[in-house]
Amino acid sequence: MRNGFASVVLAAFFAFPATRVAAQAPATPRTSDGKPNLQGIWQVLNTAAWDVQDHAARLGVPAGQGIVDGNEIPYQPAALAKKRANFENRATADPETKGYLPGVPRIMFVPFPFQIFQTPDQIVMVFEYDRGVRNIYTNGTPHPRGPLNWWLGDSRGRWEGNTLVVDVVYFTDQTWFDRAGNFHSDALHLVERFIPAGPDHINYEVTVEDSNVFTRPWTMRTVFYRRKEPNVRVLEYDPGRLMDQAKAASR
């Protein structure tokens, strides 16, 4: 009898805080047209820019848990050999080390803030890293006629309930997914999902397809956190210019 009473009390104790938390969960803010308001300054808190898979610490690289579903990237055999060669030569072979834009999705999880501006017809992302600017058209227009090769691809978005779904095509093959040598071809096709999780978090999912490199589609997932410090703003980190300044100073 005593054990039964204790079980009831414990069940009530644990259920009550959960109910209060659910009732007090803040709602996702909305724009004037009723869509989730994604505007603000956001940043990841992970090490995916160094390696999207689980990895131990290396010199200059913090240890990290990966963002790849199942921690497996389904490379074709020849592509896996190239990935391994990329890793061995990553200090100079990574296009990002030359000051190039990191490409999508890598620019979404470099450890620098970015700002989202939103209208009914377009979402603009301004990145601190390399002064990148990304346009996502949400006005129903299709991708332009290709083929085209752009650093950040061409992004066309639509709303599915509270989720912003973005279809991205027309990439250059001169970007990698990370510093560990994970790469793609110019046949890359992405489907991104931006899923608001309250006012201060966005769950980000991206499904990767590239029939020249991978045997099947695969997905990465991470979280964007709202930067809330007083006077927080996107500043400027231009690696190409900084490299030029360093070279000039060493002469």
Side-chain angles (χ1 to χ4, degrees):
M1 177 70 73
R2 181 175 295 177
N3 288 342
F5 177 75
S7 297
V8 171
V9 172
L10 285 172
F13 176 79
F14 286 114
F16 177 69
T19 303
R20 285 191 61 189
V21 170
Q24 295 176 352
T28 299
R30 302 274 168 176
T31 60
S32 59
D33 62 345
K35 298 295 189 293
N37 191 340
L38 306 182
Q39 297 186 105
I41 297 178
W42 306 88
Q43 190 169 349
V44 297
L45 293 173
N46 62 38
T47 60
W50 286 278
D51 195 333
V52 296
Q53 295 174 283
D54 294 349
H55 56 278
R58 302 187 295 272
L59 183 63
V61 178
Q65 295 173 296
I67 63 173
V68 177
D69 278 4
N71 198 42
E72 178 187 356
I73 299 178
Y75 280 106
Q76 298 174 18
L80 180 58
K82 180 177 179 181
K83 187 271 176 184
R84 289 169 175 163
N86 287 345
F87 180 81
E88 293 301 320
N89 299 293
R90 61 193 181 280
T92 55
D94 183 359
E96 184 265 342
T97 64
K98 301 174 175 63
Y100 300 158
L101 276 170
V104 178
R106 187 176 180 180
I107 200 169
M108 303 304 305
F109 47 75
V110 292
F112 290 80
F114 65 95
Q115 187 163 5
I116 296 179
F117 300 90
Q118 182 175 345
T119 73
D121 293 331
Q122 186 177 5
I123 291 173
V124 178
M125 298 179 176
V126 177
F127 297 87
E128 181 168 304
Y129 191 88
D130 215 4
R131 298 187 292 179
V133 178
R134 183 181 177 197
N135 298 286
I136 300 174
Y137 298 97
T138 55
N139 57 1
T141 55
H143 293 291
R145 181 176 297 180
L148 300 166
N149 296 107
W150 290 332
W151 290 103
L152 301 179
D154 181 72
S155 299
R156 304 287 156 164
R158 67 184 185 277
W159 291 96
E160 293 184 357
N162 288 337
T163 299
L164 174 65
V165 181
V166 184
D167 190 86
V168 198
V169 295
Y170 298 146
F171 291 96
T172 174
D173 62 359
Q174 297 300 303
T175 62
W176 288 1
F177 293 116
D178 57 21
R179 182 58 63 86
N182 289 300
F183 75 103
H184 60 85
S185 76
D186 58 7
L188 178 65
H189 172 219
L190 303 177
V191 177
E192 300 172 292
R193 287 177 169 82
F194 297 80
I195 308 166
D200 298 327
H201 304 86
I202 299 174
N203 293 328
Y204 175 73
E205 302 176 2
V206 55
T207 298
V208 178
E209 294 181 281
D210 187 337
S211 60
N212 294 340
V213 177
F214 308 112
T215 60
R216 59 172 173 80
W218 53 282
T219 300
M220 293 183 278
R221 305 175 197 270
T222 190
V223 179
F224 301 144
Y225 297 87
R226 185 185 295 277
R227 294 284 299 271
K228 302 183 72 171
E229 305 94 313
N231 299 318
V232 63
R233 64 189 63 193
V234 171
L235 302 175
E236 179 182 295
Y237 184 85
D238 185 339
R241 188 178 68 182
L242 293 173
M243 283 188 278
D244 289 342
Q245 291 175 348
K247 290 176 183 177
S250 65
R251 291 172 184 164

